Amino acid sequence: MVGTAMFGDAYRGKTVLLTGHTGFKGSWMAEWLLMLGANVVGFSHKVDDGPSHFDSLGLADRMTHILGDVRDADALYDVVTAHRPDYVFHLAAQSLVRYSYDHPVETMATNVMGTVNLLDALRRAGNPAAVVCVTSDKCYENREVLSGYREDDPMGGHDTYSASKGAAEIVAHSYRRSFFSAPDSPVKMATVRAGNVIGGGDWSLDRIVPDCVRSLAKGEPIRLRNPAATRPWQHVLESLSGYLWLGALLGGAATTPRVKSPADVTEAFNFGPWVEANGSVERLVTEFLKHWPGEWINAAEAGAVHEAGLLGLSIDKAYHKLGWAPTLDFAGGVALTAGWYKAVVADQAPALDQTRHDIETFVAEARAKSLAWAA
């Protein structure tokens, strides 16, 4: 059993507002928080049509499930004042690069103004809260270099999705300096940037692992648009362990040798994989096919929209300051991901059982490595 002692026992009996709880990453976060004993309040604009990790876990019946749009400032303010959360994790976003080319205004409004609306609701409400705003590794000005980006590198964005994440970081930074920096500020806020997450239950369009599963389930070859593109691949639980650990430190439930108070972590952190997990799309698919045999073909599209070719994150700051490190290596993350899909899709196992199994497996691995958050 996972138990509740990890993350300094920060979340047991606490109210946690989770935006974007119906999405891929949000549904894993909601399940983990419930296992930790939290009272989870979710705010998200919809449940996706078709396969949904949120629906398959039955989360709507086990948490406070609120449908609403982060572009609606009044709705967010009402939720914050009604539930007075102890912790806030802001995951709601338009999260797809290719979609942003067709819907740039929606992408900017959701990712930038959604962040503004949440932070302003917290400012106006004035309740004590530890807040983690999630952006992306794509927030950085991508120079297509081999070295990983550090937290103080410039923000940027070739496409509107990436630019919206860079802008959300700038918004959060300005709110922190303008409203939340005083020693007695009730709001302690940090931002986080993770790598390209993989894991069971992702059914998004134009993402490589869901594309693999859809093709393999139909017995068709996997069509790779950009097999040479390099990304920092990591299991979804890696990034969530970083978010939860940072939230616990912001809330004062835990400390590290370099973090003595919440004020020490009101800044930005990367939560990426080890360097060995930075690899091409082709490498990821080849590893996945070891667990679910099939084949792939190069389906590069002439005139396709621009997507970053080379992207990596430095995790030195999280490692040294927070005592956080990845739990799994590249092969371990892919194996856990493929195992979920094989069990749920191919073998028809209950998604809830498999999701809890993966969380418990991940926690056991972290404890075996004596990672600080898992103690």
Side-chain angles (χ1 to χ4, degrees), residues 244-364:
L244 288 166
W245 184 225
L246 181 57
L249 295 168
L250 280 167
T255 61
T256 76
R258 289 186 170 86
V259 179
K260 303 300 184 187
S261 76
D264 293 335
V265 289
T266 54
E267 50 197 52
F269 289 91
N270 290 339
F271 292 109
W274 296 118
V275 172
E276 61 87 28
N278 291 348
S280 67
V281 170
E282 178 181 349
R283 180 187 174 207
L284 174 68
V285 173
T286 300
E287 186 69 27
F288 194 94
L289 293 178
K290 292 178 182 177
H291 305 277
W292 191 334
E295 59 178 343
W296 65 270
I297 59 174
N298 191 332
E301 304 167 2
V305 298
H306 174 275
E307 294 184 78
L310 193 59
L311 188 57
L313 287 174
S314 166
I315 58 172
D316 289 357
K317 183 178 175 183
Y319 180 84
H320 291 291
K321 189 164 187 174
L322 308 183
W324 178 88
T327 297
L328 306 173
D329 59 14
F330 173 74
V334 175
L336 199 62
T337 300
W340 191 99
Y341 283 107
K342 283 282 287 181
V344 175
V345 177
D347 300 335
Q348 299 293 298
L352 178 58
D353 291 352
Q354 191 62 38
T355 298
R356 287 176 171 170
H357 167 272
D358 286 6
I359 292 173
E360 290 173 352
T361 299
F362 182 80
V363 170

Side-chain angles (χ1 to χ4, degrees), residues 179-197:
F179 308 116
F180 305 146
S181 62
D184 61 347
S185 170
V187 175
K188 306 297 183 188
M189 188 264 287
T191 60
V192 293
R193 306 146 185 183
N196 278 52
V197 294

